[in-house]
Amino acid sequence: MDVSEAVLSRTSVRSFKATAVSDQLIKKILKKAFRSPSGGNLQPWKIFIVNGNSMNKFLKFIKEWKEPEAPAYDIYPPKLKEPYRTYRYELGEQMYSLLDIPREDKEGRLNQVLKNFEFFGAPCGLFCFIDKTMGPPQWSDLGMFLQTFMLLAREEGLDTCAQEAWSIKHLSVSEFLKVDQDHILFCGMAIGYRDENSPINNLKSERKPFDQAVKFI
Ligand SMILES: Cc1cc2nc3c(=O)[nH]c(=O)nc-3n(C[C@H](O)[C@H](O)[C@H](O)COP(=O)(O)O)c2cc1C
């Protein structure tokens, strides 16, 4: 697989087969992904993997967690302006229409969102933390690492879905993983093999027109 193929075949997968992923394979991908660049070579990522047994224990722990949590950060700006608002809206509509869940079916839509907290059925999950003293440049380094990981995962036939949704459960996640107070959760990631028969995996998200993204001077 070349880089273009990895980039073009990566989509956010939201329904996985139960097929196990070995720790060795995840280790192999991580070792390469840690070659990602970062400003000043700070390598500000701190990664946790739940897989197999630890995944089962984690899912049970999260289900039983009853204490309310405030989100770790605002996933989107409080008043998302245009055209970003429309992009977000259109993604949601595209997704729910594939699933046949109409706008009025609030419970159906909520149940879909809640699948985030089961890693969409993936057998393996990754959590990415960062030291609380780090700022926007270092948070962007996390994105470098995460995309590198996701592309390398494609090379191994694996699929992924990055998940900021976990930021609303960051306290329980940190408690389970025993992460120290100096670190904050950025996101989770579901890792596994896509269920080809699941309609949600046919979602092909749009991109804004090329000329709106770039200007050649
Ligand atoms: C950092 C990050 C966090 C994301 N969080 C979630 C999430 O919590 N739940 C989800 O279903 N998708 C999540 N996504 C997936 C985006 O919705 C997806 O990347 C976007 O719609 C583009 O689609 P594509 O990944 O299929 O190309 C996230 C993506 C990124 C990069």
Side-chain angles (χ1 to χ4, degrees):
M1 179 178 283
D2 61 26
V3 180
S4 296
E5 215 180 323
V7 170
L8 297 174
S9 70
R10 187 215 54 80
T11 59
S12 292
V13 164
R14 297 183 179 88
S15 175
F16 290 83
K17 290 194 268 204
T19 314
V21 181
S22 73
D23 278 353
Q24 272 107 311
L25 183 54
I26 297 297
K27 229 181 238 178
K28 179 181 169 192
I29 298 171
L30 280 171
K31 281 184 176 170
K32 290 189 203 170
F34 288 143
R35 296 303 308 169
S36 302
S38 56
N41 202 23
L42 263 59
Q43 308 160 68
W45 41 78
K46 194 171 171 78
I47 305 301
F48 293 80
I49 301 290
V50 286
N51 196 14
N53 257 348
S54 59
M55 172 64 94
N56 294 337
K57 279 188 197 156
F58 173 74
L59 292 178
K60 188 166 176 283
F61 178 89
I62 288 293
K63 246 189 191 157
E64 287 169 1
W65 181 273
K66 293 285 178 265
E67 287 172 45
E69 296 195 28
Y73 55 86
D74 286 331
I75 293 183
Y76 305 107
K79 279 196 179 139
L80 194 59
K81 67 181 195 184
E82 289 298 346
Y84 309 105
R85 204 178 132 86
T86 298
Y87 297 154
R88 189 180 172 208
Y89 175 82
E90 283 174 350
L91 175 75
E93 288 309 299
Q94 219 184 329
M95 189 162 86
Y96 293 122
S97 94
L98 276 173
L99 295 170
D100 246 339
I101 309 177
R103 186 141 266 279
E104 315 76 68
D105 185 1
K106 299 268 184 264
E107 198 186 331
R109 290 192 170 200
L110 177 66
N111 284 338
Q112 177 55 37
V113 172
L114 292 177
K115 289 186 180 170
N116 269 288
F117 305 116
E118 296 166 354
F119 281 111
F120 302 113
C124 180
L126 174 154
F127 287 108
C128 180
F129 285 77
I130 186 166
D131 192 290
K132 286 177 181 166
T133 59
M134 298 294 164
Q138 290 77 43
W139 281 67
S140 88
D141 292 336
L142 300 185
M144 301 260 171
F145 163 77
L146 293 164
Q147 170 73 338
T148 305
F149 182 95
M150 293 194 282
L151 297 182
L152 290 164
R154 285 305 301 133
E155 191 182 51
E156 299 292 347
L158 286 167
D159 295 293
T160 54
C161 184
Q163 298 179 276
E164 281 160 341
W166 284 107
S167 64
I168 69 171
K169 292 190 183 282
H170 68 116
L171 291 181
S172 41
V173 172
S174 297
E175 174 76 20
F176 180 85
L177 300 172
K178 302 200 179 355
V179 181
D180 61 62
Q181 298 281 310
D182 293 346
H183 288 81
I184 181 171
L185 176 65
F186 169 40
C187 72
M189 188 193 293
I191 305 165
Y193 299 94
R194 77 176 66 198
D195 178 355
E196 289 95 354
N197 299 319
S198 196
I200 197 166
N201 289 340
N202 294 329
L203 177 57
K204 185 83 189 149
S205 57
E206 303 286 340
R207 291 298 182 265
K208 63 181 171 182
F210 185 84
D211 292 342
Q212 282 179 30
V214 62
K215 218 173 221 171
F216 284 80
I217 309 293

